Amino acid sequence: MTYFLAFDRTLFDTSAFLAYILERENLSRLMSLSEVEMAIELNSITAHGLLTFVPGELERFLYPDAVDFLKKNLTSSVVVTAGNVALQ
């Protein structure tokens, strides 16, 4: 059996991650933008190398049950995602 898993909001707490980067980078101004406008702005920031992460920094945003599931089913799982390549 092959499991197809969505990354955002299935394996990864996208809302908590977004709140984290907006606070960490002092980007609260983006909260007034639409979701599309915010995505465009974050794409620009990452494309210019202005948003980076150290190894392990984002582990806390993986749901604990997702980690357990992937450990058990790593070879039979496919993660599906779309969006900003640098953030995905």
Side-chain angles (χ1 to χ4, degrees):
M1 173 181 276
T2 300
Y3 298 98
F4 291 89
L5 306 163
F7 181 75
D8 293 326
R9 296 177 180 85
T10 300
L11 301 175
F12 192 80
D13 188 344
T14 308
S15 299
F17 168 71
L18 180 59
Y20 171 72
I21 61 171
L22 293 180
E23 181 179 326
R24 187 189 90 165
E25 300 297 318
N26 195 24
L27 295 171
S28 59
R29 63 181 172 76
L30 297 183
M31 293 304 292
S32 64
L33 301 177
S34 72
E35 188 173 314
V36 171
E37 292 169 324
M38 185 184 297
I40 291 168
E41 183 68 21
L42 288 173
N43 284 344
S44 176
I45 291 167
T46 55
H48 289 92
L50 300 175
L51 182 61
T52 60
F53 305 97
V54 297
E57 182 177 357
L58 304 180
E59 286 178 15
R60 64 181 162 181
F61 299 109
L62 286 171
Y63 294 117
D65 59 340
V67 174
D68 293 340
F69 180 87
L70 289 172
K71 284 180 180 178
K72 291 178 188 172
N73 301 288
L74 183 63
T75 60
S76 59
S77 295
V78 175
V79 177
V80 180
T81 191
N84 181 323
V85 173
L87 292 178
Q88 295 295 318

